[in-house]
Amino acid sequence: MSKLFSPFALRDLTLRNRAIVAPMCQYSAIDGLANDWHFAHLSRFALGGFSLVLLEATGVSPEARISYADLGLWKDEQIAPLKRIVDFLHSQHTAAGIQLAHAGRKASTSVGFHKGLDPASVGYEHWTPVAPSAIAHSDNADFQTPTALDEAGLKHVVTSFVDATKRADAAGFDTVEIHAAHGYLLNQFLSPLANKRTDNYGGSRENRMRLPLEVVEAVRAAWPEGKPLLVRISTSDNAEGGWQVEDSVVFAKALKTLGVDLVHCSSGGFAEGTIKPEPLYQVAFAKGVRDGAKIATAAVGLISTPEDAEEIIASGEADVVAFARAALDDPNWALHAQQVLDASAQDYSLWPAQAGARIKDRDRVLHIRGFATV
């Protein structure tokens, strides 16, 4: 049996395999409410054999959204449409997770594919973002100069994450992932590229870690003990003078102490960062954090082939492999990968009951996959 398709346990949750779907913003909500697009988009990954589907960056407050079209969990009315999605994922033996996020200075941006549409029809809103410091992300016109968070604002951030966490539990999610990557608010506090504060939340690495760790501690306390907690990080800013891998190892050790179960290892997010995207370009980040902090990790970023994903797990570079664009391209990626990695097993149990036997019969008649030599 392949390592990729072996079970993986986190607290009381056991994933049926180690192929998961990473959060992918759809920019298709109005007032933060999930709709039929989100249901169809996410459900196909459960039908496609993935063990865990992580919903897109979901604003913990209205001002926390990357755009006006993001999902949200700042009010109770947003619970029911998410629960509908969760219930369907569960019906297909797939775990459901949600990424709770605050965009910070990268909030209130436009949605490219909405250009030319009636603003009212897409729920257009505009607001002034908040951040560690009153410094814009870049000189791109889509980014504003934010308001630096004061003491009350910092407390509001923590409270918003906690309240959204409780709503996530009410919706039935199996796991929460705190978004501390890609140049968004918590990543902004971590990075000296964005955090120019001179109080207890800026300056030293310990101070810059303070708010993210306060959020994690509060969320862990609000989240059921038996449910795992994930954190997504930018392992490196990929920029001189920015956050580095060694900083992430220290941060991951602190996360582990607070009860985080897995670190999802991405990178970048700041205008100063430069890295050449290529196949497997972030896998070393997952291995570095896993080895350095002795914590489970997810590898993500242009991982496409079953053989590469299998090697990542088999070699101990990460504990799970997360797919985004590869899953968009092929929502049945996990089903197809199992046939490649376990072709001789003739095992179609990962397929939905309505399809598995029919696909098996087709493959037998055509002498393909596990029937190629029969």
Side-chain angles (χ1 to χ4, degrees):
M1 180 179 183
S2 84
K3 298 294 185 182
L4 183 66
F5 288 94
S6 63
F8 181 61
L10 291 168
R11 298 199 183 220
D12 293 346
L13 175 66
T14 298
L15 303 179
R16 58 179 172 167
N17 59 58
R18 295 162 186 256
I20 72 172
V21 176
M24 292 178 278
C25 289
Q26 297 299 292
Y27 305 113
S28 297
I30 294 178
D31 195 29
L33 294 162
N35 54 45
D36 286 349
W37 171 261
H38 301 94
F39 181 88
H41 161 68
L42 295 161
S43 295
R44 59 186 178 161
F45 301 128
L47 297 176
F50 290 96
S51 63
L52 168 65
V53 175
L54 291 166
L55 273 65
E56 66 188 76
T58 300
V60 297
S61 60
E63 70 275 10
R65 292 171 292 172
I66 303 167
S67 79
Y68 55 85
D70 290 13
L71 288 180
L73 251 184
W74 67 81
K75 59 183 179 180
D76 291 348
E77 290 80 0
Q78 293 158 338
I79 295 172
L82 292 173
K83 187 176 187 304
R84 176 184 176 227
I85 295 169
V86 170
D87 289 346
F88 184 81
L89 297 181
H90 286 166
S91 77
Q92 301 304 308
H93 314 292
T94 294
I98 189 165
Q99 186 183 71
L100 298 182
H102 195 306
R105 69 183 188 178
K106 294 175 81 172
S108 193
T109 55
S110 61
V111 178
F113 64 86
H114 286 179
K115 186 177 181 180
L117 299 178
D118 175 14
S121 71
V122 292
Y124 176 80
E125 299 177 65
H126 187 69
W127 62 94
T128 301
V130 296
S133 306
I135 304 170
H137 170 69
S138 75
D139 57 8
N140 184 305
D142 213 20
F143 297 108
Q144 306 173 60
T145 299
T147 299
L149 285 161
D150 59 15
E151 184 176 350
L154 294 170
K155 290 180 179 178
H156 176 64
V157 168
V158 176
T159 300
S160 296
F161 270 95
V162 168
D163 291 344
T165 297
K166 293 176 180 177
R167 293 188 181 100
D169 186 40
F173 284 99
D174 302 291
T175 186
V176 156
E177 179 175 273
I178 297 172
H179 200 353
H182 300 164
Y184 297 121
L185 183 69
L186 299 185
N187 192 190
Q188 291 163 25
F189 269 90
L190 292 172
S191 176
L193 298 178
N195 187 343
K196 306 298 183 182
R197 300 175 74 98
T198 57
D199 61 2
N200 289 337
Y201 292 88
S204 68
R205 180 172 62 193
E206 180 183 13
N207 281 356
R208 286 183 279 113
M209 286 169 43
R210 192 178 306 278
L211 181 67
L213 293 180
E214 287 179 353
V215 168
V216 169
E217 184 175 22
V219 167
R220 181 69 269 181
W223 190 235
E225 178 66 23
K227 293 186 176 185
L229 177 62
L230 284 55
V231 175
R232 191 167 196 182
I233 67 170
S234 280
T235 314
S236 170
D237 290 342
N238 302 322
E240 185 177 352
W243 185 263
Q244 306 293 344
V245 175
E246 53 267 32
D247 299 309
S248 287
V249 170
V250 172
F251 185 49
K253 288 179 178 178
L255 295 176
K256 183 177 180 180
T257 299
L258 293 177
V260 169
D261 302 284
L262 181 142
V263 178
H264 193 167
C265 297
S266 189
S267 72
F270 292 98
E272 299 91 333
T274 56
I275 190 171
K276 180 183 178 182
E278 57 187 5
L280 314 179
Y281 75 113
Q282 294 184 143
V283 174
F285 293 139
K287 177 174 172 53
V289 172
R290 187 177 191 265
D291 292 349
K294 309 303 180 188
I295 192 170
T297 61
V300 67
L302 297 184
I303 303 166
S304 299
T305 72
E307 294 83 0
D308 283 340
E310 176 74 9
E311 178 61 21
I312 288 167
I313 302 301
S315 64
E317 293 175 289
D319 298 273
V320 298
V321 179
F323 300 88
R325 281 168 285 190
L328 281 179
D329 181 58
D330 180 8
N332 285 353
W333 189 95
L335 298 177
H336 297 153
Q338 187 189 38
Q339 294 298 323
V340 171
L341 298 174
D342 288 333
S344 62
Q346 299 177 3
D347 180 7
Y348 292 75
S349 61
L350 193 61
W351 287 80
Q354 296 89 336
R358 292 167 179 170
I359 298 298
K360 185 174 183 178
D361 286 344
R362 184 205 67 159
D363 292 354
R364 181 186 294 112
V365 170
L366 296 177
H367 300 292
I368 60 175
R369 293 175 173 160
F371 299 94
T373 58
V374 176

